[in-house]
Amino acid sequence: MSNKFFSEGRWQEAIAQYQKLLEYQSGDAEIYWNLSYCYRQLNQLEEYFNTLQQGIKLYPTDGRLHFSLIIDLRQNGRIQEAILSSDNAAKSLPDDYTFKIIKYLTVPSIYENHGEINFYRQRYTQGLRDLIEQTSLQTTEDQHSALAGIGRLTNFYLSYQAQNDIDLQRQYGKLVHGIMAANYPQWVVPLSMPKLQPNNKVRIGYVSHYLHSYSGTLWLTGWLRYCDRSSFEIYCYYIGNEPDPITQQFQQYSDVFYHIPDNFSAACEQIIADKLHILVFPEIGMNPQTMQMAGLRLAPVQCVAWGHPVTTGLPTIDYFLSSELMELENAQDHYSEKLIRLPNIGVSYPKPYIPPVIKSRSDFQLPDDAVIYLCCQAPFKYLPQYDFIFAEIAGHLPQAKFVFLRGGLLQPRLKRAFAAIGLNSEDYCVFISIPERLDYLMINLLSDVYLDTFTWSGGNTTLEAIACNLPIVTCPGEFMRGRHSDSFLKMLGVTDTIAENETEYIEIAVKLGLDQAWRGTIAERMSQNHDRLFDDKACVLGLEAFYKQVCSKHFSA
């Protein structure tokens, strides 16, 4: 009965049955897993964590229980508990490489204060050394365990510390490559560039877990749509499994489209069989299977684009396809790959469809007389050293409301920042669960100002805000990941709201809040210049010139 309710998604009824069952017997690991899953679906986090911990006490070698507990503790800002649980898992499962990685490389998803960033960076640096030292690839069992470990997670959160990651990424990339080489020695040897016969086209492959409606790959549809079909043949490899209308676009714009979900070897074999000239990963670092694949040599030339805007550190990735507007002069110092600065923002982003305004602020319990500042980034993009900015804006503008769409975990930090200048954060900060797409666009249309994050700016979110003509306050950072919004506004030709420092950021945000006429002028200018930014073809010409140049270099060699 429990399992029947579980399979039908009747979580509450399943919980009642599982609990009844556990009164009579200790159950097995599967029961604790299922029961915890029910609590997770109902967002009953304490019960979720308690159930996993009870299951682990009884079944200390069940990796699934350990993994879920650690990952979700970190996800919910409970980093100390996550680290203790990872130590426990590593002791219980000493031969499981997954828990070696987690033990040594866990960093918080959000930080309580600035000092924590340096502490956890040092911990990660030492942990990576220890992990590399303790990685054995001597036996088949060792090789398979290491392969499974890097196939379960990536070091995604490291890059949100806002520092130059090139050295750490190189070490991690070398480790990943070594594991892949031990498991697939036939797929790490250099490949020669296939000869180009008369009337043949250059074969370009794009492989991703995310060839669907996803912020890290949505822009790729533009590269494919405006491709020069007389010179290039496009192969797409979709290794994820959430097809949607955007997937259909990828299929439509490809000469050859493969959907190969959950079959790593089959995907690699297909890529090799197609004898590509160039293989491009739109992003590396978000999906473990993509990272594994990128650690192999499946094409003579391999590139990564800025779907995840951080160097991969992988010795098998030759070029990083970036943007001339986003990169500073010394930017090559941030990349293990050779940096290619494509024209403008480097991608051809399709202009989003923006519906008419069919809802009002009251639909979201937002006051009509407030100045709404939209804060829509994921919580890990908000670093604690910038919390004071919200409080400072509120100090100048009593009618300010900061609408956070995913920022629930930031509440304790914001409370402290506002209290530091004698304000109550609850009077100013509103936390809304991220809504359906239509509601999300409505909130953009009903807001007054978009506040960009420091050090890692909005990408997709900023482009959609621009399509809604929502004025954007941004301050470009040192690395490309902190310069997206800056480059979009420069291309748009509306640069009045780009700040040079934190003080100017606050001034611009306050001025936009107080001066409705100026705000309207900015919005109007944004509206008139959309065509400069969206569906840019210059970057595609630059991309294809690069492809031809790389191929001719190999042909002549």
Side-chain angles (χ1 to χ4, degrees):
M1 184 63 75
S2 311
N3 289 340
K4 179 178 185 294
F5 288 145
F6 181 84
S7 65
E8 292 170 0
R10 294 158 68 179
W11 312 120
Q12 205 67 61
E13 291 160 283
I15 287 169
Q17 292 298 329
Y18 282 129
Q19 286 174 335
K20 203 179 286 185
L21 186 61
L22 290 173
E23 284 172 22
Y24 299 107
Q25 59 175 83
S26 61
D28 57 21
E30 188 73 17
I31 290 175
Y32 286 94
W33 165 257
N34 287 358
L35 179 56
S36 74
Y37 189 87
C38 294
Y39 284 127
R40 188 78 183 83
Q41 294 304 109
L42 295 171
N43 205 30
Q44 296 177 16
L45 290 182
E46 285 311 314
E47 292 86 348
Y48 169 68
F49 290 131
N50 288 339
T51 304
L52 289 172
Q53 284 160 344
Q54 286 165 19
I56 287 166
K57 272 183 193 158
L58 292 168
Y59 302 98
T61 58
D62 189 277
R64 190 163 61 157
L65 297 175
H66 282 290
F67 188 80
S68 299
L69 178 64
I70 298 162
I71 297 302
D72 279 328
L73 282 170
R74 174 173 69 175
Q75 195 75 18
N76 285 279
R78 296 162 67 162
I79 186 65
Q80 291 303 327
E81 292 170 80
I83 287 171
L84 282 171
S85 298
S86 67
D87 286 342
N88 180 29
K91 284 183 190 130
S92 299
L93 294 151
D95 298 324
D96 190 328
Y97 194 77
T98 304
F99 297 107
K100 272 197 173 73
I101 298 175
I102 293 175
K103 176 184 173 180
Y104 288 121
L105 303 188
T106 291
V107 297
S109 59
I110 64 162
Y111 296 91
E112 279 303 300
N113 54 64
H114 190 216
E116 272 195 355
I117 297 176
N118 290 329
F119 171 81
Y120 282 105
R121 191 168 187 86
Q122 285 169 11
R123 183 182 184 276
Y124 180 99
T125 303
Q126 183 58 51
L128 184 55
R129 282 194 209 113
D130 293 342
L131 177 66
I132 291 166
E133 203 176 287
Q134 293 177 29
T135 299
S136 168
L137 298 170
Q138 296 303 310
T139 68
T140 308
E141 289 76 19
D142 289 340
Q143 293 164 10
H144 289 174
S145 179
L147 180 70
I150 61 168
R152 289 196 185 108
L153 69 167
T154 70
N155 59 348
F156 173 77
Y157 288 110
L158 174 72
S159 308
Y160 291 90
Q161 295 177 341
Q163 299 190 38
N164 187 356
D165 296 325
I166 185 170
D167 292 337
L168 291 173
Q169 288 291 81
R170 272 195 170 124
Q171 291 172 54
Y172 187 72
K174 187 179 174 189
L175 174 66
V176 168
H177 175 60
I179 293 168
M180 297 311 295
N183 282 276
Y184 299 100
Q186 75 278 25
W187 290 341
V188 291
V189 292
L191 296 172
S192 56
M193 185 68 75
K195 291 276 189 293
L196 204 58
Q197 303 301 335
N199 302 321
N200 273 15
K201 299 174 186 178
V202 175
R203 293 183 292 282
I204 310 290
Y206 295 94
V207 58
S208 176
H209 184 80
Y210 303 108
L211 295 186
H212 49 250
S213 184
Y214 186 74
S215 60
T217 48
L218 198 55
W219 51 266
L220 178 57
T221 56
W223 277 7
L224 304 191
R225 183 181 175 189
Y226 300 118
C227 168
D228 173 8
R229 299 288 161 180
S230 66
S231 301
F232 299 96
E233 198 167 42
I234 300 297
Y235 292 71
C236 276
Y237 307 87
Y238 179 28
I239 61 170
N241 202 15
E242 295 177 52
D244 63 13
I246 298 297
T247 309
Q248 290 169 10
Q249 283 189 33
F250 280 114
Q251 195 159 1
Q252 179 190 338
Y253 298 146
S254 303
D255 293 290
V256 182
F257 182 92
Y258 298 100
H259 185 198
I260 312 174
D262 308 317
N263 194 334
F264 183 84
S265 295
C268 293
E269 282 164 2
Q270 187 59 64
I271 292 169
I272 288 172
D274 288 333
K275 291 189 164 50
L276 301 174
H277 295 93
I278 299 171
L279 178 62
V280 180
F281 295 85
E283 53 71 38
I284 296 172
M286 301 174 84
N287 169 256
Q289 282 65 52
T290 308
M291 174 76 88
Q292 287 178 312
M293 200 175 275
L296 299 170
R297 177 59 70 177
L298 303 178
V301 173
Q302 299 188 155
C303 310
V304 62
W306 64 264
H308 183 57
V310 182
T311 186
T312 67
L314 289 164
T316 42
I317 300 297
D318 308 300
Y319 297 97
F320 193 106
L321 305 176
S322 187
S323 144
E324 66 179 5
L325 282 178
M326 289 183 201
E327 299 288 4
L328 289 169
E329 201 176 324
N330 67 335
Q332 182 61 66
D333 298 342
H334 309 155
Y335 296 95
S336 60
E337 309 84 1
K338 183 169 173 50
L339 182 63
I340 303 299
R341 302 166 200 253
L342 298 176
N344 302 327
I345 63 170
V347 297
S348 180
Y349 192 88
K351 185 173 179 179
Y353 166 72
I354 304 299
V357 180
I358 56 170
K359 291 199 174 185
S360 67
R361 286 184 173 186
S362 60
D363 290 311
F364 302 100
Q365 287 79 53
L366 297 171
D368 283 332
D369 59 349
V371 175
I372 302 285
Y373 290 93
L374 181 60
C375 310
C376 59
Q377 301 304 326
F380 42 81
K381 284 190 180 181
Y382 293 93
L383 295 186
Q385 59 266 41
Y386 302 107
D387 290 348
F388 78 96
I389 283 170
F390 301 107
E392 286 291 332
I393 295 168
H396 290 87
L397 204 77
Q399 67 271 43
K401 290 280 184 199
F402 303 96
V403 175
F404 291 89
L405 297 188
R406 294 182 275 187
L409 287 175
L410 303 172
Q411 289 185 62
R413 272 178 24 195
L414 290 167
K415 198 171 183 177
R416 291 197 296 271
F418 278 78
I421 62 167
L423 296 176
N424 183 353
S425 63
E426 290 175 17
D427 295 336
Y428 299 94
C429 298
V430 180
F431 299 90
I432 301 175
S433 294
I434 198 157
E436 294 298 315
R437 176 156 180 80
L438 178 68
D439 282 347
Y440 172 72
L441 292 173
M442 285 302 121
I443 290 172
N444 272 265
L445 292 164
L446 295 167
S447 295
D448 296 302
V449 181
Y450 170 110
L451 292 182
D452 197 21
T453 29
F454 285 75
T455 74
W456 193 308
S457 73
N460 221 49
T461 48
T462 303
L463 288 160
E464 289 181 334
I466 288 170
C468 293
N469 304 315
L470 180 60
I472 287 153
V473 190
T474 191
C475 182
E478 179 185 357
F479 306 108
M480 184 262 271
R481 55 192 182 267
R483 304 177 67 83
H484 300 331
S485 300
D486 172 72
S487 70
F488 302 155
L489 292 178
K490 282 176 177 164
M491 199 164 164
L492 201 64
V494 182
T495 56
D496 318 49
T497 58
I498 299 173
E500 286 190 16
N501 51 48
E502 294 150 34
T503 304
E504 197 177 348
Y505 184 102
I506 294 164
E507 287 169 2
I508 292 168
V510 170
K511 186 182 176 188
L512 281 169
L514 291 172
D515 189 340
Q516 196 173 347
W518 187 53
R519 199 163 73 225
T521 303
I522 296 288
E524 179 58 30
R525 283 169 54 206
M526 292 171 80
S527 157
Q528 289 169 357
N529 292 351
H530 282 180
D531 290 346
R532 295 186 184 184
L533 175 64
F534 297 114
D535 292 295
D536 175 51
K537 298 184 184 67
C539 68
V540 181
L541 292 173
L543 174 73
E544 293 180 345
F546 160 73
Y547 286 160
K548 286 175 180 173
Q549 180 193 350
V550 164
C551 286
S552 64
K553 191 166 78 176
H554 276 261
F555 294 142
S556 59

